[in-house]
Amino acid sequence: MTETTGYSGGGFVHIKNPHLDSMEEDILYHLDLGTKTHNLPAMFGDIKFVCVGGSPNRMRAFAQFVQRELGLAGAGEELPDICAGSDRCAMYRAGPGSPSASHGMGIPSISIMLHELIKLLHHAKCRDVTIIRIGTSGGLGIEAGSVVITDTAVDSSFQPRFEQVVLGDVVLRSTELDKDLAEELLACSREIADFPTLIGHTMCTYDFYEGQGRLDSALCSFSSEKKLEYLRRAYDAGVRNIEMESTAFAALCGLCGLKAAVVCVALLDRLEGDQIRASHEVLWEYQQRPQRLIAAFIHQRWGWPKGPTH
Ligand code: R2B
Ligand code: URA
């Protein structure tokens, strides 16, 4: 069975679960929020834009960065973690109606967080929400430090699909992302001249080592030639970077009516090697590149005040 993306009218988040309506209370366990304990419409009803990324520290840095870049009130002050009661996810307000939240590493982690985040948007009655995942990745045939805007998330056979096992059956979900949003982001990148940005397919794997064809794993059953042959086939199929969340992200957001994009910086070129050798300073600067692009996007889309771009 294949489930495909569909946007409904009204811009509401679609929750495709009839059981939710009959629940007296919905506890969003990993976010430490709930429909009885929190006034979700008052806290989150103004959300138009959500940015998610792997690490709590990076998402706090992103919220602080956006506040600084856009000269918003509260810039420079300590930011409270909205999900402080949970050590699984962190959430910060990057500005009016725009939280930034962490999802951990890999598909199981991002799936849990997204189910709860999407229900949160539904309970809060949010409309017309855009969601962007920012992150790191391994590049394929591109310069380290390049930023890839994903047009299509593909699995490790280069197919645009996400396999979810439901009650023992495999359900195939489409991994379409919003093409117009990707183009809008690319247009914003032209304002930032000091790093390359491109659109390409992103391959999503279940593992960082064997799953991404690394030779430096604890177990390795293939030769260097086989690895390169696989990565070249991925390149020829249009893949320009590799990470670990994009197919699940694209599938869930698409099915629930959120306009979604994935923007990741490449920490290395996987055709050149496997180990991430750049210094902490260089990696820190690389990780700021997707954040700078998103700040330019927020400025362009919502007209927020604009501060320095770097
Ligand atoms: C990119 O980087 C992480 C692995 O180092 C993973 O979460 C991803 O998608
Ligand atoms: N994240 C990944 O998933 N792969 C890389 O090579 C680098 C970052």
PDB file of all heavy atoms in Angstrom, residues 104-106 133 136 208 243-245, ligand 1:
ATOM      1  N   GLY A 104      16.851  14.799  17.719  1.00  0.00           N
ATOM      2  CA  GLY A 104      17.759  13.664  17.907  1.00  0.00           C
ATOM      3  C   GLY A 104      18.254  13.112  16.580  1.00  0.00           C
ATOM      4  O   GLY A 104      18.054  13.720  15.523  1.00  0.00           O
ATOM      5  N   MET A 105      18.914  11.947  16.660  1.00  0.00           N
ATOM      6  CA  MET A 105      19.524  11.364  15.453  1.00  0.00           C
ATOM      7  C   MET A 105      18.737  10.156  14.952  1.00  0.00           C
ATOM      8  O   MET A 105      18.414   9.264  15.725  1.00  0.00           O
ATOM      9  CB  MET A 105      20.942  10.887  15.759  1.00  0.00           C
ATOM     10  CG  MET A 105      21.973  11.976  15.717  1.00  0.00           C
ATOM     11  SD  MET A 105      23.632  11.270  15.661  1.00  0.00           S
ATOM     12  CE  MET A 105      23.783  10.644  17.293  1.00  0.00           C
ATOM     13  N   GLY A 106      18.466  10.134  13.673  1.00  0.00           N
ATOM     14  CA  GLY A 106      17.902   8.949  13.046  1.00  0.00           C
ATOM     15  C   GLY A 106      16.381   8.968  12.958  1.00  0.00           C
ATOM     16  O   GLY A 106      15.691   9.764  13.606  1.00  0.00           O
ATOM     17  N   ARG A 133      13.759  21.293   8.235  1.00  0.00           N
ATOM     18  CA  ARG A 133      14.803  20.601   8.998  1.00  0.00           C
ATOM     19  C   ARG A 133      16.141  21.155   8.556  1.00  0.00           C
ATOM     20  O   ARG A 133      16.443  21.190   7.351  1.00  0.00           O
ATOM     21  CB  ARG A 133      14.748  19.090   8.739  1.00  0.00           C
ATOM     22  CG  ARG A 133      16.025  18.386   9.132  1.00  0.00           C
ATOM     23  CD  ARG A 133      15.997  16.890   9.116  1.00  0.00           C
ATOM     24  NE  ARG A 133      17.272  16.336   8.692  1.00  0.00           N
ATOM     25  CZ  ARG A 133      18.404  16.390   9.405  1.00  0.00           C
ATOM     26  NH1 ARG A 133      18.436  16.965  10.575  1.00  0.00           N
ATOM     27  NH2 ARG A 133      19.526  15.882   8.926  1.00  0.00           N
ATOM     28  N   THR A 136      23.249  18.505   9.391  1.00  0.00           N
ATOM     29  CA  THR A 136      24.538  18.196   8.786  1.00  0.00           C
ATOM     30  C   THR A 136      24.366  16.958   7.910  1.00  0.00           C
ATOM     31  O   THR A 136      23.398  16.212   8.057  1.00  0.00           O
ATOM     32  CB  THR A 136      25.589  17.920   9.872  1.00  0.00           C
ATOM     33  OG1 THR A 136      25.114  16.840  10.686  1.00  0.00           O
ATOM     34  CG2 THR A 136      25.831  19.149  10.734  1.00  0.00           C
ATOM     35  N   PHE A 208      24.874   5.554  10.225  1.00  0.00           N
ATOM     36  CA  PHE A 208      25.934   6.468   9.803  1.00  0.00           C
ATOM     37  C   PHE A 208      27.096   5.706   9.157  1.00  0.00           C
ATOM     38  O   PHE A 208      27.775   6.235   8.276  1.00  0.00           O
ATOM     39  CB  PHE A 208      26.433   7.208  11.055  1.00  0.00           C
ATOM     40  CG  PHE A 208      27.499   8.238  10.848  1.00  0.00           C
ATOM     41  CD1 PHE A 208      27.165   9.533  10.459  1.00  0.00           C
ATOM     42  CD2 PHE A 208      28.833   7.942  11.071  1.00  0.00           C
ATOM     43  CE1 PHE A 208      28.145  10.501  10.292  1.00  0.00           C
ATOM     44  CE2 PHE A 208      29.816   8.902  10.911  1.00  0.00           C
ATOM     45  CZ  PHE A 208      29.474  10.188  10.519  1.00  0.00           C
ATOM     46  N   GLU A 243      22.097  11.817   4.781  1.00  0.00           N
ATOM     47  CA  GLU A 243      21.847  12.037   6.205  1.00  0.00           C
ATOM     48  C   GLU A 243      20.876  10.966   6.699  1.00  0.00           C
ATOM     49  O   GLU A 243      20.719   9.947   6.033  1.00  0.00           O
ATOM     50  CB  GLU A 243      21.394  13.482   6.494  1.00  0.00           C
ATOM     51  CG  GLU A 243      20.320  14.045   5.621  1.00  0.00           C
ATOM     52  CD  GLU A 243      18.937  13.530   5.949  1.00  0.00           C
ATOM     53  OE1 GLU A 243      18.552  12.477   5.384  1.00  0.00           O
ATOM     54  OE2 GLU A 243      18.214  14.200   6.698  1.00  0.00           O
ATOM     55  N   MET A 244      20.224  11.198   7.836  1.00  0.00           N
ATOM     56  CA  MET A 244      19.542  10.078   8.483  1.00  0.00           C
ATOM     57  C   MET A 244      18.088  10.329   8.906  1.00  0.00           C
ATOM     58  O   MET A 244      17.549   9.566   9.697  1.00  0.00           O
ATOM     59  CB  MET A 244      20.351   9.636   9.718  1.00  0.00           C
ATOM     60  CG  MET A 244      21.724   9.111   9.351  1.00  0.00           C
ATOM     61  SD  MET A 244      22.727   8.729  10.779  1.00  0.00           S
ATOM     62  CE  MET A 244      21.708   7.552  11.609  1.00  0.00           C
ATOM     63  N   GLU A 245      17.484  11.415   8.424  1.00  0.00           N
ATOM     64  CA  GLU A 245      16.111  11.706   8.859  1.00  0.00           C
ATOM     65  C   GLU A 245      15.158  12.114   7.735  1.00  0.00           C
ATOM     66  O   GLU A 245      13.935  12.123   7.920  1.00  0.00           O
ATOM     67  CB  GLU A 245      16.091  12.847   9.910  1.00  0.00           C
ATOM     68  CG  GLU A 245      16.723  12.520  11.248  1.00  0.00           C
ATOM     69  CD  GLU A 245      18.220  12.750  11.272  1.00  0.00           C
ATOM     70  OE1 GLU A 245      18.734  13.428  10.355  1.00  0.00           O
ATOM     71  OE2 GLU A 245      18.887  12.237  12.182  1.00  0.00           O
TER      72      GLU A 245
HETATM   73  C1  R2B B   1      23.289  13.971  10.222  1.00  0.00           C
HETATM   74  O1  R2B B   1      24.199  13.909  11.183  1.00  0.00           O
HETATM   75  C2  R2B B   1      23.799  12.946  12.163  1.00  0.00           C
HETATM   76  C3  R2B B   1      24.846  11.856  12.228  1.00  0.00           C
HETATM   77  O2  R2B B   1      26.088  12.375  12.575  1.00  0.00           O
HETATM   78  C4  R2B B   1      22.441  12.494  11.734  1.00  0.00           C
HETATM   79  O3  R2B B   1      21.430  12.888  12.627  1.00  0.00           O
HETATM   80  C5  R2B B   1      22.254  13.180  10.478  1.00  0.00           C
HETATM   81  O4  R2B B   1      21.123  13.081   9.782  1.00  0.00           O
END
